[in-house]
Amino acid sequence: MRPSLIILSIILFTPSLFAGPIDKKELDTPSFEADLSNKLGDKKEADRSYDKIVSRYDPVLNDPGSPKKDRIEALRQIAIAKVEQGRFDDILRLSDSLLSEYPNVSEILEIEAQAHQVYASAHLSRSEYDAALSEYEAILSLNNLPE
């Protein structure tokens, strides 16, 4: 039995470890697979699962005919996966592209600011202060959000 299956079995059959019940539908998601693989240190499997998330939401994000709220949610879900993969530039490229269609939409700017925040924290943890400062300055430039 693979270590991931052993851990999953422990999680599934030890409900007292959790505050609430486990929704079995949540276990059958790329997000759950990715998070579990990541925690188990299986980077390749985690990346495959994160790529599934991106491929699920990418068509909505790139479809100009999709409702704006759906496209923003797709961006949010893709951003979560990309952050876990450490692919911050992808998030910024995608958010900039959506901002070109919907300028100054606070939800998109918030996603972009959060990406800069995580990226800055990653630089700080590696003592890359100039790069971290640059990311924080990028957040400040987004501070002119519409009210």
Side-chain angles (χ1 to χ4, degrees):
M1 188 178 243
R2 291 179 30 195
S4 59
L5 294 178
I6 293 170
I7 302 234
L8 182 58
S9 298
I10 292 169
I11 291 170
L12 289 175
F13 298 110
T14 316
S16 62
L17 294 175
F18 301 94
I22 298 172
D23 181 359
K24 293 199 187 309
K25 288 186 287 186
E26 288 181 24
L27 298 178
D28 189 28
T29 65
S31 179
F32 179 82
E33 293 169 13
D35 292 343
L36 183 61
S37 296
N38 215 9
K39 285 179 178 37
L40 294 172
D42 189 348
K43 179 91 170 103
K44 285 183 182 179
E45 186 59 34
D47 279 343
R48 276 194 289 274
S49 295
Y50 289 127
D51 287 342
K52 285 182 195 175
I53 294 168
V54 172
S55 65
R56 176 182 288 173
Y57 288 99
D58 199 46
V60 175
L61 179 63
N62 291 310
D63 178 10
S66 291
K68 179 172 71 171
K69 69 178 185 63
D70 292 349
R71 294 181 76 198
I72 292 170
E73 182 57 27
L75 175 63
R76 185 181 319 282
Q77 295 302 320
I78 291 171
I80 291 167
K82 296 286 186 181
V83 161
E84 291 297 330
Q85 292 178 306
R87 295 169 61 184
F88 303 102
D89 291 341
D90 288 352
I91 301 167
L92 300 178
R93 181 181 49 75
L94 293 170
S95 63
D96 285 345
S97 174
L98 203 54
L99 277 170
S100 70
E101 293 180 53
Y102 306 111
N104 296 322
V105 173
S106 61
E107 293 96 335
I108 301 170
L109 293 168
E110 179 184 338
I111 293 167
E112 190 164 314
Q114 289 170 344
H116 282 294
Q117 172 77 35
V118 172
Y119 201 26
S121 295
H123 284 302
L124 282 176
S125 69
R126 294 188 302 263
S127 300
E128 298 168 351
Y129 301 112
D130 289 341
L133 180 60
S134 173
E135 292 302 318
Y136 284 117
E137 287 171 344
I139 294 170
L140 292 176
S141 73
L142 296 173
N143 198 26
N144 298 321
L145 297 176
E147 295 295 327

